[in-house]
Amino acid sequence: MVQSVGNGEPGSFWPSGRVRRPADVGRLCWYAGGLLGLVLLSVLVPGATDAVVPPGLRGLPRGVVAVVNGAASLTAIAALLGLAVDALRHRRYALTTAGLAGLLAAAVAVAAEHAGQLGWIAVLGPADRPAVIPISVGIAVVIGSDRSRSARLTLLALGALATMTGCALALSSLTVAGAVAAVLIGAGAGFGVRVAVGVVPARPAEEEVRAVLARAGVEVDALRMLQVAAGRARYTARDDAGEVLVTVVDPDRRGVTVARRLWRVLRFRTPAVGRPALSLRGVLERQALVTALAGAAGVPVPRVQALLAAGPALVLVERPLGGMPLLSASVRDEALAGAFGALRRLHDAGIAHGALSERAVVLLPDGAVGLGELQYAQPAAGELQRDLDVVALLVAVAAREGVDRAVAALRCGYAPGPADTDRIVGLLQPLALVRPVRRSVSGTPVLEDLRAALSPPDRGRAVPAQRLERVRLRTLVSVAGGTVAAIVLASQLSEVPLGAALRQARPGWLVVALLGSALTYVGAGLALQAFIPTRVPFVRTCLVQLASSFVTLVTPPTVGHVGLNIRYLQRAGIPTASAAATVGVGQVVTVGGTLLLLVVAGWLSGVSPSQPSLLPSGNVLAVLLVAAGIVAVALAVPGTRRTLRARVEPLLRRTIPQLLAALTDPRRLGTALSGVVLQNAGYVIALDASLRAFGTSLDLPALVVVYLVASTVGSAAPTPGGLGAVEAALVAGLTATGVPLAAALTAVLAFRAATFWVPAPVGWVAFTVLQRRDRI
């Protein structure tokens, strides 16, 4: 999140060209979180932060401590004045940010002092000697000035301030909480100002870069900006020997590149990413090594001429490949095969490219093909890393030149064996592609066509996709959501005598809840069976719906259910596109029928013999308004709208033809709607029986509305089976419509046991049987 605002002027008090460093954002969050935690600790646990003098400082002679404190104060003042003079001479903007940070820290420290005196938070120190203010202001000024080039003065000032803090503790001018708060306030104010108004970039000016190049024997007249990417700026220039490509590593963007590489290491399996260098210096050093190895192997690559230091930045000097991107114009088959041949030689040297895209493959003037963009290349690469290179180049060529030419070039230039081809087919998935290639084939059938072209026609089963991720993002979200849900549910259960409530349950109604749960699978099978284009046994379709209860233990409810149904239809001999459309039509009808039921139940909740109404009852209306508010807030976020559109539009395109056909067939549509009603009726029966098992009940229309709203929330939740989201929504809806909290909690637990936990082992048996018989 670096925002560039122009070009900075060192002599200006408010220059342009400021940037916001990602590292500063992270530090601000760290210190702000620490300060918030300290405040919460002092409020929620009174006395936990009331310590005045640490044991190690007790008994020190007050006279000696006072002398040390005076010397430290004078040292801090002298160091701060030195920083001010240095900033005035070299970068006046540092005075602006230091002043703003000092003012912000003073305001927050004064407010904290008064809050402590009023008893709102822990006392930070005596009212007549508020040491919090000068210490926090001093720290804020040092950090806000951002004078990394004056490291000695900065360390001297921080050391003096640390000594002042210790002396203030020994002299009882600060409590322990006050000392911690002073550091957090000062650092938070300094980083807050740096994030709010930006800092002067540490990237060296072009004049400094040219001077560094001249000392290395590369005399250039001007640097022309070619690209500004994460963590680096790339220039092009010319000297007596020809064109020069200069890469300047930007210290202000260091946090972005390290965070991205670390995320890749944590997300993907080690064979897929290897051991990438995390530091920018390591990246450039490895690039120089790989370039030398590739050149020795006869692969045309850019030649690294120098690796230099320009202040805190690094400068890489290369002689680029002369030529043009291979896929930028029409190209002959020999050149396409030459690209795969160059990649084969690179791999034979043990090197994986790591970022193959259209720009990285260059057609040279003599007709040969070279490889550039080697900043992510790794030596001693494993088999999976090399296969990912092949897949990236294959897909890039197929997207531009067609699948047949890409496959022919692969077989001619790279000559993969049968085992190599199987691995390549298993890696033809979006996750295996670099971002530019992935974007170029998004929404196209290129990957499916490549799988078909590379797979032998006599192969019985498709090659399974190779797993690349160590941990899926969805799994992390599910674990986090489940943990939060467990904490919330545990806090609610702590308020209810659960054991006594369970002992008073009526077993007969719990049996009715189980019967209602069984009815839902018949309804789901009926809703799907109505749109299946071929004859399949209805009992088997119902068993598949039961098997989905086991799948939802590890997947979000809608995802696992839809995927299993598509797999079932594929095994029944229905093509993948038709199977997906059939399941999609069933989902659309289910959603439409559910919304219709919601509207009807909401209206019926406001109808009574004495006072008919066109509006739902007050409690039901409150539930509907809260649900509508949540939906409105979610849709107000642009990212949510884009995600929803990206997922809904393809579904509508696939299902609209079959949906229109279904509307012309009243029998199919009636069967599907009957299944939807039966499925929802089973859940409502289970919920009503669960309530009656614990001595309470609810009007049927209100009960239907509560269930349908909770079901919608659970379907959108990323947790397995909507775990946590369904329980919270049901408890909130029941209590909002007048059910006591204790009865609502126990009834919801019984309902979820009957409809989620108890069917799961039975669903596992159905899943195993269907899988053994090759039905799913």
Side-chain angles (χ1 to χ4, degrees), residues 47-80:
T49 58
D50 290 344
V52 178
V53 181
L57 298 178
R58 293 172 184 167
L60 293 178
R62 295 183 63 84
V64 174
V65 173
V67 171
V68 173
N69 185 44
S73 301
L74 293 175
T75 303
I77 293 173
L80 292 175

Coordinates of all heavy atoms in Angstrom, one line a residue, residues 47-80:
G47 N -6.6 -3.1 38.9 CA -5.5 -3.4 39.8 C -4.4 -4.2 39.1 O -3.3 -4.3 39.6
A48 N -4.7 -4.7 37.8 CA -3.7 -5.4 37.1 C -2.5 -4.5 36.6 O -1.4 -5.0 36.4 CB -4.3 -6.2 35.9
T49 N -2.8 -3.2 36.5 CA -1.7 -2.3 36.0 C -1.4 -1.3 37.0 O -0.9 -0.2 36.6 CB -2.3 -1.7 34.7 OG1 -3.5 -1.0 34.9 CG2 -2.5 -2.7 33.6
D50 N -1.6 -1.5 38.3 CA -1.4 -0.5 39.3 C 0.0 -0.5 39.9 O 0.3 0.3 40.8 CB -2.4 -0.6 40.4 CG -3.8 -0.3 39.9 OD1 -3.9 0.4 38.9 OD2 -4.8 -0.6 40.6
A51 N 0.9 -1.4 39.4 CA 2.3 -1.4 40.0 C 3.0 -0.1 39.7 O 2.9 0.5 38.6 CB 3.1 -2.5 39.3
V52 N 3.7 0.5 40.8 CA 4.3 1.8 40.7 C 5.8 1.7 40.4 O 6.3 2.2 39.4 CB 4.1 2.6 42.0 CG1 4.8 3.9 41.9 CG2 2.6 2.7 42.3
V53 N 6.5 0.9 41.2 CA 8.0 0.8 41.0 C 8.3 -0.7 40.8 O 8.0 -1.5 41.7 CB 8.8 1.4 42.2 CG1 10.2 1.3 41.9 CG2 8.3 2.8 42.5
P54 N 9.0 -1.0 39.7 CA 9.4 -2.4 39.5 C 10.4 -2.8 40.6 O 11.1 -2.0 41.2 CB 10.1 -2.4 38.2 CG 9.5 -1.2 37.5 CD 9.3 -0.2 38.5
P55 N 10.4 -4.1 41.0 CA 11.3 -4.6 42.1 C 12.7 -4.2 41.9 O 13.5 -3.9 42.8 CB 11.0 -6.1 42.2 CG 9.7 -6.3 41.6 CD 9.5 -5.2 40.5
G56 N 13.2 -4.3 40.6 CA 14.6 -4.0 40.3 C 15.0 -2.6 40.6 O 16.2 -2.3 40.7
L57 N 14.1 -1.7 40.6 CA 14.4 -0.3 40.8 C 14.2 0.2 42.2 O 14.5 1.4 42.5 CB 13.6 0.6 39.9 CG 13.8 0.4 38.4 CD1 12.9 1.3 37.5 CD2 15.3 0.6 38.0
R58 N 13.7 -0.6 43.1 CA 13.5 -0.2 44.5 C 14.8 -0.1 45.2 O 15.7 -0.9 45.0 CB 12.5 -1.2 45.2 CG 11.1 -1.2 44.6 CD 10.3 -2.3 45.2 NE 8.9 -2.3 44.6 CZ 8.1 -3.3 44.7 NH1 8.4 -4.4 45.5 NH2 6.9 -3.3 44.2
G59 N 14.9 0.8 46.1 CA 16.1 1.0 46.9 C 17.2 1.7 46.3 O 18.3 1.9 46.9
L60 N 17.1 2.2 45.0 CA 18.2 3.0 44.4 C 18.2 4.4 45.1 O 17.2 4.9 45.4 CB 17.9 3.1 42.9 CG 18.0 1.9 42.1 CD1 17.7 2.2 40.6 CD2 19.4 1.3 42.2
P61 N 19.4 4.9 45.3 CA 19.5 6.3 45.9 C 18.8 7.3 45.1 O 19.1 7.4 43.9 CB 21.0 6.5 46.0 CG 21.6 5.1 45.9 CD 20.7 4.3 45.0
R62 N 17.9 8.0 45.6 CA 17.1 9.0 44.9 C 18.0 10.1 44.3 O 17.8 10.6 43.2 CB 16.0 9.6 45.7 CG 15.0 8.5 46.1 CD 13.8 9.2 46.9 NE 13.1 10.2 46.1 CZ 12.1 9.9 45.3 NH1 11.7 8.6 45.1 NH2 11.5 10.9 44.6
G63 N 19.0 10.5 45.1 CA 19.9 11.6 44.6 C 20.7 11.1 43.3 O 20.8 11.9 42.4
V64 N 21.2 9.9 43.3 CA 21.9 9.4 42.2 C 20.9 9.3 41.0 O 21.3 9.7 39.8 CB 22.6 8.1 42.5 CG1 23.2 7.5 41.2 CG2 23.6 8.2 43.6
V65 N 19.7 8.8 41.2 CA 18.7 8.6 40.2 C 18.4 10.0 39.6 O 18.2 10.1 38.4 CB 17.5 7.9 40.7 CG1 16.4 7.9 39.6 CG2 17.9 6.5 41.1
A66 N 18.2 11.0 40.5 CA 17.9 12.3 40.0 C 19.0 12.9 39.1 O 18.7 13.6 38.1 CB 17.6 13.3 41.2
V67 N 20.3 12.7 39.5 CA 21.4 13.2 38.7 C 21.4 12.5 37.3 O 21.5 13.1 36.2 CB 22.7 13.0 39.4 CG1 23.9 13.3 38.5 CG2 22.8 13.9 40.6
V68 N 21.2 11.2 37.3 CA 21.2 10.4 36.0 C 20.0 10.9 35.2 O 20.1 11.1 33.9 CB 21.1 8.9 36.3 CG1 20.8 8.1 35.0 CG2 22.3 8.4 37.0
N69 N 18.9 11.1 35.8 CA 17.7 11.6 35.1 C 17.9 13.0 34.4 O 17.6 13.2 33.3 CB 16.5 11.7 36.0 CG 15.2 12.1 35.3 OD1 14.9 11.5 34.2 ND2 14.4 13.0 35.8
G70 N 18.6 13.9 35.2 CA 18.9 15.2 34.6 C 19.9 15.1 33.4 O 19.7 15.7 32.4
A71 N 20.9 14.2 33.6 CA 21.9 14.0 32.5 C 21.2 13.4 31.2 O 21.4 13.8 30.1 CB 23.0 13.1 32.9
A72 N 20.3 12.4 31.5 CA 19.6 11.8 30.4 C 18.6 12.8 29.7 O 18.5 12.8 28.4 CB 18.7 10.6 30.9
S73 N 18.0 13.7 30.5 CA 17.1 14.7 29.9 C 17.9 15.7 29.0 O 17.5 16.0 27.9 CB 16.4 15.5 31.0 OG 15.6 14.6 31.8
L74 N 19.1 16.1 29.5 CA 19.9 17.0 28.7 C 20.4 16.3 27.4 O 20.5 16.9 26.3 CB 21.1 17.5 29.5 CG 20.8 18.5 30.7 CD1 22.0 18.8 31.5 CD2 20.1 19.7 30.2
T75 N 20.8 15.1 27.5 CA 21.2 14.3 26.4 C 20.1 14.2 25.3 O 20.3 14.3 24.1 CB 21.7 12.9 26.8 OG1 22.8 13.0 27.8 CG2 22.2 12.1 25.6
A76 N 18.9 13.9 25.8 CA 17.8 13.8 24.9 C 17.5 15.1 24.2 O 17.2 15.1 23.0 CB 16.5 13.3 25.7
I77 N 17.5 16.2 24.9 CA 17.3 17.5 24.3 C 18.4 17.8 23.3 O 18.1 18.3 22.1 CB 17.3 18.6 25.4 CG1 16.0 18.4 26.3 CG2 17.3 20.0 24.7 CD1 16.0 19.3 27.5
A78 N 19.6 17.5 23.6 CA 20.7 17.7 22.7 C 20.6 16.9 21.4 O 20.8 17.3 20.3 CB 22.1 17.5 23.3
A79 N 20.2 15.6 21.6 CA 20.0 14.7 20.4 C 18.9 15.2 19.6 O 19.0 15.2 18.3 CB 19.8 13.3 20.9
L80 N 17.8 15.6 20.2 CA 16.6 16.1 19.4 C 17.0 17.4 18.6 O 16.6 17.6 17.5 CB 15.4 16.4 20.3 CG 14.8 15.1 21.0 CD1 13.7 15.5 21.9 CD2 14.2 14.2 19.9

